[in-house]
């Protein structure tokens, strides 16, 4: 079974998708983490993504894998654990530009499809219901008011030891959403048959329950 959960930044996708995957006991995949891992690699190695042959080499060599360790999802890039490194402000501010590159998307979508097809998946991202799995069994599109989303990110950043003003965060999130929605190739979009859920007015348990009820028809 494939459950696609899409939506803009900080709309509650990760928390919801993780909860749904635990209850239904099917794997969970955070596709944003994959684009973040590539972005981290590009920045760290000062890769010129405009150079097609260099980019091809990078994509041929890159190995991204997920491991569940002590109940936590860890992401490895070429054998190195990068779970925290992909959440920094530097990565966040470059990820929209880098994830808009067509060849990067083609490579990531291929990997996402092969992971999803193996054992089924609760997959979260921006283009899962539209491009990666247009025939997903269930599609959801999460939204929330910009201030609610910025407050969530503020909390995430505090856990990483970073501080930022709410206003700046709201601007950054809006900018990222705009770039993600306006790119030429597979932009952030709600699939026609996706069910929209406003997480700004719901608790995490309620968000999860709406999806579980739909999926199990109970
Ligand atoms: O979900 P996130 O905020 O960690 O995602 C980081 C970025 O990755 C997001 O700004 C756009 C990109 N992304 C994408 O283009 N397609 C996806 N399926 C998932 C994320």
């Amino acid at each position: 079974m494939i459950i696609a959960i899409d939506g803009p930044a900080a709309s509650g996708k990760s928390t919801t998708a993780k909860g749904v995957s635990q209850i239904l006991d099917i794997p969970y995949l955070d596709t944003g983490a994959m684009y973040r891992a590539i972005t981290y690699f590009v920045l760290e190695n000062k890769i010129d993504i405009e150079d097609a042959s260099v980019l091809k080499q990078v994509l041929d060599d890159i190995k991204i894998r997920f491991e569940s360790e002590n109940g936590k999802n860890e992401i490895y890039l070429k054998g190195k654990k990068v779970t925290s490194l992909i959440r920094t402000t530097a990565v966040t501010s470059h990820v929209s530009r880098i994830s808009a590159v067509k060849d990067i998307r083609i490579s990531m979508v291929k990997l996402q499809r092969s992971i999803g097809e193996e054992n089924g998946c609760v997959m979260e991202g921006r283009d899962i219901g539209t491009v990666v799995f247009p025939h997903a069994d269930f599609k959801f599109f999460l939204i929330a008011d910009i201030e609610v989303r910025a407050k969530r990110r503020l909390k995430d950043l505090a856990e990483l030891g970073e501080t930022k003003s709410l206003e700046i965060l709201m601007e950054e999130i809006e900018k990222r959403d705009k770039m993600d929605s306006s790119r030429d190739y597979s932009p952030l979009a709600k699939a026609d048959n996706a069910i929209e859920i406003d997480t700004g007015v719901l608790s995490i348990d309620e968000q999860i329950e709406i999806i579980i009820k739909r999926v199990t028809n109970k």
Side-chain angles (χ1 to χ4, degrees):
M1 184 199 298
I2 303 284
I3 302 174
I5 303 185
D6 291 301
S11 53
K13 299 184 298 295
S14 296
T15 321
T16 311
K18 275 183 213 157
V20 170
S21 106
Q22 271 169 9
I23 294 173
L24 298 178
D25 195 23
I26 49 178
Y28 154 73
L29 186 72
D30 172 3
T31 62
M34 298 168 71
Y35 292 103
R36 285 175 177 274
I38 297 263
T39 302
Y40 168 77
F41 188 81
V42 165
L43 296 179
E44 196 61 10
N45 296 286
K46 300 188 175 53
I47 287 159
D48 177 9
I49 53 168
E50 305 296 330
D51 185 331
S53 67
V54 170
L55 183 60
K56 183 177 181 309
Q57 189 68 47
V58 167
L59 293 172
D60 286 348
D61 286 352
I62 215 137
K63 295 259 178 311
I64 294 177
R65 108 188 124 75
F66 290 86
E67 294 286 337
S68 176
E69 292 170 12
N70 306 317
K72 194 177 169 223
N73 281 301
E74 304 285 4
I75 175 164
Y76 286 83
L77 175 82
K78 288 185 152 202
K80 176 180 173 182
K81 192 189 281 188
V82 293
T83 317
S84 307
L85 297 170
I86 63 167
R87 302 282 159 198
T88 61
T89 299
V91 169
T92 303
S93 60
H94 287 86
V95 69
S96 287
R97 180 176 61 86
I98 290 170
S99 63
V101 177
K102 186 174 174 182
D103 287 339
I104 293 181
R105 301 202 70 81
I106 290 172
S107 169
M108 290 303 105
V109 168
K110 201 169 149 205
L111 186 56
Q112 290 155 13
R113 286 187 179 141
S114 79
I115 294 173
E117 278 158 6
E118 206 175 327
N119 296 307
C121 199
V122 182
M123 195 172 290
E124 60 136 314
R126 303 291 192 288
D127 59 344
I128 312 305
T130 50
V131 173
V132 184
F133 284 109
H135 302 296
D137 300 275
F138 298 93
K139 297 182 188 179
F140 299 92
F141 194 82
L142 273 44
I143 56 159
D145 178 78
I146 179 73
E147 195 172 327
V148 171
R149 295 192 281 134
K151 281 182 178 158
R152 286 180 187 152
R153 271 292 129 88
L154 209 59
K155 221 170 131 224
D156 294 343
L157 280 178
E159 277 163 26
L160 287 173
E162 285 190 43
T163 45
K164 230 176 221 186
S165 78
L166 189 65
E167 288 67 31
I168 295 213
L169 259 178
M170 280 166 63
E171 272 172 32
E172 286 177 358
I173 291 176
E174 273 181 330
K175 190 173 156 209
R176 193 146 66 93
D177 284 348
K178 208 167 161 198
M179 281 179 80
D180 294 342
S181 323
S182 61
R183 68 179 172 229
D184 293 334
Y185 193 72
S186 70
L188 158 67
K190 177 176 175 271
D192 291 339
N193 52 352
I195 296 161
E196 190 169 289
I197 303 174
D198 184 347
T199 66
V201 294
L202 297 168
S203 70
I204 292 167
D205 286 346
E206 286 168 335
Q207 285 156 219
I208 296 171
E209 203 188 323
I210 290 175
I211 295 184
I212 297 290
K213 274 193 174 156
R214 282 276 178 169
V215 173
T216 57
N217 209 5
K218 279 180 199 152

